[in-house]
């Protein structure tokens, strides 16, 4: 990868210089209390921020949170993130109440060497996500004015052609942060010549969301294990009754074609946990995958499937997992995800969790994160990288 990294910038010296860091601090917040429920993405950027602070830089951090409509919205404020980031850095984080306005200018100008400021949500400004190059560029000009150098450590956003990711690097000397560098190194290993057997586990709700990565991976993998809501469209393609389970009818023929082309590579559930309703206390039991009652919906893979997936994983030398096996947020339907995750940790393989709901499941189920070689911070970005797509944020760093 022809990208300069943080060590290159540190070697040049950053003491007293303003360094603009694009982080991915898009953390989940409790809707009632506004408290952070998972600080994994904040922790992920600490190595980069800590190194810059230690080197005496004036660190200006910017990020998005949620999907506001291009205007300030209190429910998407980064203020709680500033508090948590300060706790983790063990130093105050100065918070600007706007992104490129008076508060931002005053806050940045007041920084001393080794101090950190966090700007308000980038997406409170229409220019951040605008598809108009001129509007996006104008916002990028304002952001770039806060830095003498730029560090991208927001892997979860590198697949977006946004001002802070794609346009700012063209305006400042730019490098990849520790997190982005690690993500690209790991995913390059998977996209290149991974050690075999190479087993991929895919879950989540929709086949349509994963179709491109399935198409890209099928020629490369030895086994593709499919669970989650997307498995029911494959089961339907085999002619099975799926009851009221999640189903993409328009994708049934596509799934049938994939199964025909896969030469036995695709492993589907043999049993599922079927429930009367999508509810944590719904009546449920385990049924064969080809015997789902017409009035029930599958909300998890069953124990026989977990055993079969575990057997396939036990032979692997490389594993990539993206997407939960069931509705893990409800304890009654979390056993499939837990079982497969634990099986991955027990292999001798190089194991990668592909961000998104999979990373959230690891943490919410209390699994040991050290049991995986790498947990990505970018679900969509990791999938697009493995699809072979050009990621705007990475391309901007390479220029």
């Amino acid at each position: 990868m022809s990208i300069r990294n943080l060590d290159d910038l540190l070697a040049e010296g950053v003491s007293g210089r303003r360094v603009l860091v694009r982080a991915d601090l898009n953390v989940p917040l409790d809707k009632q209390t506004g408290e952070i429920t998972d600080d994994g993405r904040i922790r992920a950027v600490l190595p980069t921020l800590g190194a810059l602070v230690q080197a005496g830089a004036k660190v200006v951090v910017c990020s998005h949170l949620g999907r506001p409509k291009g205007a300030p919205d209190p429910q998407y404020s980064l203020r709680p993130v500033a508090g948590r980031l300060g706790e983790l850095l063990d130093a105050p984080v100065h918070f600007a109440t706007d992104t490129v306005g008076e508060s931002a200018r005053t806050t940045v100008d007041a920084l001393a060497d080794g101090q950190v400021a966090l700007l308000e949500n980038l997406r409170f400004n229409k220019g951040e996500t605008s598809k108009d190059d001129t509007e996006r560029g104008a916002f990028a000009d304002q952001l770039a004015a806060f830095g003498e150098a730029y560090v991208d450590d927001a892997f979860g956003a590198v697949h977006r052609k946004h001002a802070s990711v794609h346009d700012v690097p063209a305006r400042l000397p730019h490098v990849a942060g520790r997190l982005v560098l690690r993500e690209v190194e790991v995913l390059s290993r998977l996209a290149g010549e991974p050690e075999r057997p190479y087993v991929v586990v895919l879950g989540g709700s929709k086949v349509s969301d994963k179709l491109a990565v399935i198409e890209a991976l099928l020629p490369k993998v030895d086994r593709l294990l499919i669970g989650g809501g997307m498995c029911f469209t494959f089961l339907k393609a085999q002619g099975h009754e799926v009851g009221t389970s999640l189903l993409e009818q328009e994708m049934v023929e596509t799934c049938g074609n994939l199964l025909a082309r896969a030469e036995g590579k695709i492993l589907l559930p043999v049993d599922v946990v079927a429930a009367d309703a999508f509810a944590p206390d719904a009546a449920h039991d385990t049924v064969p995958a080809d015997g789902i009652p017409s009035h029930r919906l599958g909300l998890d893979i069953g124990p026989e499937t977990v055993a079969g997936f575990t057997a396939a994983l036990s032979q692997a030398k490389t594993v990539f997992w993206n997407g939960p096996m069931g509705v893990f947020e409800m304890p009654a339907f979390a056993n499939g995800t837990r079982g497969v995750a634990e099986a991955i940790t027990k292999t001798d393989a190089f194991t990668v969790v592909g961000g998104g709901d999979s990373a959230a499941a690891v943490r919410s189920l209390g699994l040991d994160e050290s049991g995986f070689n790498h947990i990505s911070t970018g679900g969509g970005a990791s999938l697009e990288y493995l699809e072979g797509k050009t990621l705007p944020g990475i391309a901007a760093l390479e220029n």
Side-chain angles (χ1 to χ4, degrees), residues 2 6 12 24 78 121 134 136 139 153-154 188 213-214 250 295 306 312-313 318 328 346-347 388 392:
S2 55
L6 184 65
E12 295 168 1
D24 180 9
L78 280 167
N121 195 333
T134 301
R136 209 176 56 248
F139 181 57
D153 217 27
S188 295
V213 77
I214 292 173
E250 70 280 6
H295 67 286
V306 172
L313 288 162
T318 306
F328 71 91
K346 292 174 183 175
T347 69

Side-chain angles (χ1 to χ4, degrees), residues 147-399:
E148 298 165 71
Y150 169 85
V151 179
D152 189 345
D153 217 27
F155 182 74
V158 294
H159 60 315
R160 306 294 188 195
K161 191 177 181 181
H162 291 171
S164 63
V165 174
H166 176 263
D167 300 277
V168 171
R171 290 154 169 80
L172 291 171
H174 49 268
V175 301
R178 300 245 197 274
L179 173 63
V180 165
L181 189 66
R182 172 65 176 163
E183 294 270 16
V184 173
E185 286 174 346
V186 167
L187 292 172
S188 295
R189 181 170 172 177
L190 298 185
E193 294 295 332
E195 190 176 359
R196 297 186 178 279
Y198 178 23
V199 178
V200 171
V201 185
L202 291 181
S205 57
K206 294 182 178 181
V207 178
S208 54
D209 291 342
K210 303 283 173 72
L211 179 61
V213 77
I214 292 173
E215 294 273 11
L217 288 173
L218 265 183
K220 301 179 179 180
V221 303
D222 296 290
R223 299 304 297 272
L224 177 60
L225 318 182
I226 294 180
M230 63 189 290
C231 78
F232 299 106
T233 304
F234 280 93
L235 292 172
K236 187 71 171 180
Q238 291 184 322
H240 301 318
E241 169 67 58
V242 297
T244 59
S245 304
L246 188 63
L247 176 66
E248 290 184 281
Q249 186 64 50
E250 70 280 6
M251 297 296 296
V252 171
E253 183 178 351
T254 299
C255 289
N257 291 336
L258 288 169
L259 290 168
R261 286 167 40 203
E263 302 174 351
K265 286 183 177 181
I266 296 178
L267 194 59
L268 295 174
V270 295
D271 61 345
V272 301
V273 180
D276 287 343
F278 187 88
D281 57 352
H284 60 276
D285 54 60
T286 302
V287 301
D290 59 359
I292 301 172
S294 60
H295 67 286
R296 286 192 149 187
L297 72 163
L299 295 181
D300 196 11
I301 59 174
E304 286 189 34
T305 301
V306 172
F309 283 11
T310 298
L313 288 162
S314 69
Q315 306 299 314
K317 292 298 182 184
T318 306
V319 176
F320 175 71
W321 168 36
N322 180 279
M325 298 292 98
V327 188
F328 71 91
E329 299 90 344
M330 301 179 187
F333 311 111
N335 291 331
T337 301
R338 182 189 302 278
V340 169
E342 289 176 344
I344 292 172
T345 66
K346 292 174 183 175
T347 69
D348 295 326
F350 178 73
T351 56
V352 179
V353 180
D357 286 340
S358 309
V362 169
R363 288 188 279 268
S364 70
L365 295 176
L367 301 170
D368 184 0
E369 294 184 43
S370 68
F372 305 92
N373 291 103
H374 183 69
I375 299 179
S376 178
T377 55
S382 63
L383 290 180
E384 290 194 18
Y385 191 97
L386 293 179
E387 288 167 27
K389 288 186 176 180
T390 296
L391 306 185
I394 300 300
L397 292 176
E398 290 177 326
N399 292 333

